[in-house]
Amino acid sequence: MGFIDVIKERARNNKKTIVLPETEDRRTLEAAAQILREGVANVVLVGSEEAVKNGSEGLDLTGAVIVDPATSEKTQGYIDKLVELRSKKGMTPEQAKEILLNQYLYYGVMMVKMGDADGMVSGACHSTADTLRPCLQILKTKPGTKLVSAFFLIVVPDCEYGANGAFVFGDSGLVQDPNPEELAAIAASSAESFELLVQEEPIVAMLSHSTMGSAKHALVDKVVEATRIAKEQNPNLKLDGELQLDAAIVPSVGSSKAPNSDVAGKANVLIFPNLDAGNIGYKLAQRLAKAEAYGPVTQGIAKPVNDLSRGCSAEDIVGVVAITAVQCQAEDK
């Protein structure tokens, strides 16, 4: 059984309701049909029944709930709640109505906020900013979380590194140039996400172009300071740095370059120094190593809402929905 198959099985064991608001995109509807067929989650599609019907020709969406903001009896309650949440920003009932009737991502987030859905997946045809803006405005950050960040769950086929080829790459989707405190927070959140999804002990490498002082530069200093903060704040977490990528994951290189590290050569959570490195890194793994890449998966939002790469396939959407459902299960605990 492949990694994502295990995630799907976990999702099926305690089925959650996931909103898919991008019903104008055929990939979303194809994914919805597969999710329903495989029993991964309950699906809510936001849009008019006519538009969904026209866009889903040839697909079986039996079991999907279609919610049309223009006719739903719950829309007025969402309008009232959005005005309440954004009143300090000058939100009026007229503005809230305009947003919710025309911006389905906002409608989907309001469904999650009001408990009518457990989570949302979007981003097939919207930017990360468009997907996350309503989340940060309406759902806010999870209590105790210092920073909303994003990661990719990478599964490399026939790979002896990481957790049988499974890794978390963070931040690969959201925080552009984290300072040391933010980088430490990303490391802690990514370790927690790895443990939830992979169900193995996280071993965290703070990546750099330097290993244990082999290079001197302000960029290295940032990672060194982030490592110090992360270790201080998470004393029980296996975490070390700064480490080059090969020193982090290849046992022979790790033992040579960082012989005193209990992380070097064993890492399964890779923390990149900035978004340039993280985004390039995950796409190299995806395209050259033929890795499965699921994400960007967000961490730190009060309820699970996840982004998609605009280059995603319907199969990718199904995988992210399964991951989101497992995150929703964790919210029950």
Side-chain angles (χ1 to χ4, degrees), residues 7 35 47 72 86 111 114 126 187 217 267 282 332:
I7 293 288
I35 292 160
S72 172
R86 303 291 291 165
M111 293 192 73
M114 300 294 277
H126 289 86
H217 193 276
Y282 102 74
D332 296 339

Side-chain angles (χ1 to χ4, degrees), residues 294-307:
Y294 298 101
V297 182
T298 58
Q299 49 194 7
I301 298 174
K303 297 283 186 178
V305 174
N306 284 317
D307 192 16

Side-chain angles (χ1 to χ4, degrees), residues 28-78:
T28 297
L29 300 175
E30 290 172 353
Q34 184 176 339
I35 292 160
L36 293 164
R37 184 170 65 251
E38 296 183 2
V40 171
N42 301 315
V43 173
V44 175
L45 299 169
V46 182
S48 73
E49 288 205 27
E50 182 180 4
V52 171
K53 182 179 180 181
N54 291 339
S56 61
E57 187 176 351
L59 301 174
D60 183 2
L61 294 178
T62 303
V65 175
I66 300 172
V67 175
D68 184 349
T71 59
S72 172
E73 62 184 18
K74 294 197 172 184
T75 296
Q76 186 59 51
Y78 294 168

Side-chain angles (χ1 to χ4, degrees), residues 22 24-25 27-28 105 122-131 152 173 279 282-283 286-287 293 295-296 306-314 316-317 320:
E22 294 176 310
E24 70 272 34
D25 193 297
R27 292 169 296 172
T28 297
L105 273 65
S122 178
C125 56
H126 289 86
S127 69
T128 295
D130 286 338
T131 294
F152 272 81
N279 187 272
Y282 102 74
K283 287 184 176 176
Q286 181 184 35
R287 300 301 178 181
N306 284 317
D307 192 16
L308 296 161
S309 169
R310 278 174 284 179
C312 68
S313 65
D316 293 333
I317 298 173
V320 174

Side-chain angles (χ1 to χ4, degrees), residues 50-278:
E50 182 180 4
V52 171
K53 182 179 180 181
N54 291 339
S56 61
E57 187 176 351
L59 301 174
D60 183 2
L61 294 178
T62 303
V65 175
I66 300 172
V67 175
D68 184 349
T71 59
S72 172
E73 62 184 18
K74 294 197 172 184
T75 296
Q76 186 59 51
Y78 294 168
I79 292 169
D80 295 341
K81 187 64 175 180
L82 183 57
V83 171
E84 177 191 327
L85 291 169
R86 303 291 291 165
S87 61
K88 292 183 179 178
K89 298 293 183 179
M91 180 71 70
T92 66
E94 292 75 21
Q95 290 171 330
K97 182 177 181 179
E98 174 74 15
I99 289 169
L100 291 174
L101 291 185
N102 294 287
Q103 298 185 44
Y104 290 171
L105 273 65
Y106 271 87
Y107 199 93
V109 171
M110 284 304 304
M111 293 192 73
V112 176
K113 177 68 176 180
M114 300 294 277
D116 294 320
D118 299 301
M120 186 180 90
V121 172
S122 178
C125 56
H126 289 86
S127 69
T128 295
D130 286 338
T131 294
L132 294 184
R133 188 179 301 110
C135 303
L136 297 175
Q137 291 177 354
I138 295 166
L139 299 175
K140 312 293 187 182
T141 56
K142 184 183 294 186
T145 299
K146 298 175 182 176
L147 181 73
V148 173
S149 58
F151 65 90
F152 272 81
L153 184 59
I154 302 292
V155 184
V156 185
D158 303 317
C159 178
E160 70 269 35
Y161 306 130
N164 295 314
F167 296 87
V168 157
F169 284 22
D171 183 320
S172 301
L174 184 57
V175 184
Q176 290 187 312
D177 189 16
N179 62 36
E181 291 78 11
E182 291 170 333
L183 203 54
I186 290 167
S189 292
S190 297
E192 185 178 328
S193 294
F194 180 89
E195 189 168 19
L196 170 66
L197 296 172
V198 184
Q199 296 185 303
E200 291 196 24
E201 181 184 21
I203 304 173
V204 185
M206 309 294 283
L207 297 183
S208 173
H209 68 275
S210 169
T211 295
M212 300 303 180
S214 66
K216 304 295 182 186
H217 193 276
L219 293 176
V220 178
D221 295 340
K222 179 176 88 166
V223 178
V224 170
E225 177 63 7
T227 302
R228 184 193 67 77
I229 295 168
K231 284 184 172 182
E232 185 178 276
Q233 294 177 345
N234 307 275
N236 297 321
L237 183 62
K238 281 189 179 177
L239 178 148
D240 209 356
E242 84 287 10
L243 293 166
Q244 292 163 292
L245 186 279
D246 55 354
I249 66 171
V250 181
S252 60
V253 179
S255 61
S256 172
K257 290 187 173 184
N260 297 319
S261 172
D262 62 354
V263 167
K266 306 171 187 173
N268 48 38
V269 177
L270 305 179
I271 305 303
F272 293 83
N274 58 36
L275 188 55
D276 281 340

